Amino acid sequence: MKKWLLVALLSSSAQAYEPDRDQILRFEPSPFQNTELNCQRDKDVVPRRSDLVLDHYALLAADNGERVATVTVTNSAGGQRMFNQEHIVAIMADCSRIYPLSFELTLAAGQQETFQIYFGRRAQPVLQLISSH
């Protein structure tokens, strides 16, 4: 009796959560990661000058248009620094430039960290991320 109850509970809890397929993030190719894009649109939207080094990133997107990036950054300064959404800019497929949604990160000298940044729902995919190091 107890076995059946446990199986019933486990199977009902496994069926209780079914993610919305439109919200599932999938990796997108990043063919422009090490290429200089010459997009002229929104050329005045630039990352704030800082000691933030954008080491690597992976782009993700959902069918509902949600755009996310998993980034690895390093503080190249000799002391602790605070970084936020003004330090990274995304170049979109239509050559527009946007800042990610608000975030704040404090890194010690030389510290490296990997985290996610969000760009909200966008019709255009992200082509490239840039920082101003």
Side-chain angles (χ1 to χ4, degrees):
M1 173 79 172
K2 289 182 183 180
K3 273 187 177 180
W4 285 106
L5 181 60
L6 181 59
V7 168
L9 284 173
L10 289 174
S11 65
S12 66
S13 65
Q15 293 174 354
Y17 176 72
E18 189 169 323
D20 182 351
R21 298 193 83 142
D22 286 346
Q23 296 179 351
I24 297 172
L25 290 171
R26 293 177 184 81
F27 285 100
E28 291 194 314
S30 304
F32 300 104
Q33 192 161 359
N34 296 316
T35 303
E36 187 172 331
L37 295 175
N38 193 17
C39 290
Q40 296 302 312
R41 185 173 172 196
D42 296 336
K43 200 75 164 170
D44 58 327
V45 178
V46 294
R48 194 166 100 192
R49 186 90 177 128
S50 71
D51 296 310
L52 179 72
V53 176
L54 183 59
D55 298 314
H56 307 284
Y57 60 87
L59 302 174
L60 299 103
D63 290 344
N64 68 3
E66 193 71 31
R67 308 293 176 197
V68 178
T70 299
V71 298
T72 300
V73 297
T74 302
N75 175 10
S76 66
Q80 181 174 305
R81 296 287 188 273
M82 185 167 49
F83 303 104
N84 62 34
Q85 68 281 354
E86 295 177 1
H87 294 101
I88 296 176
V89 168
I91 300 177
M92 308 303 287
D94 65 354
C95 281
S96 63
R97 294 177 179 213
I98 61 170
Y99 294 103
L101 300 179
S102 182
F103 74 88
E104 191 170 280
L105 179 68
T106 302
L107 297 174
Q111 182 181 351
Q112 184 180 67
E113 185 157 335
T114 301
F115 61 101
Q116 283 191 326
I117 54 176
Y118 302 89
F119 295 94
R121 289 187 180 175
R122 304 287 175 165
Q124 299 291 324
V126 176
L127 293 183
Q128 186 179 72
L129 299 181
I130 55 174
S131 66
S132 185
H133 174 71

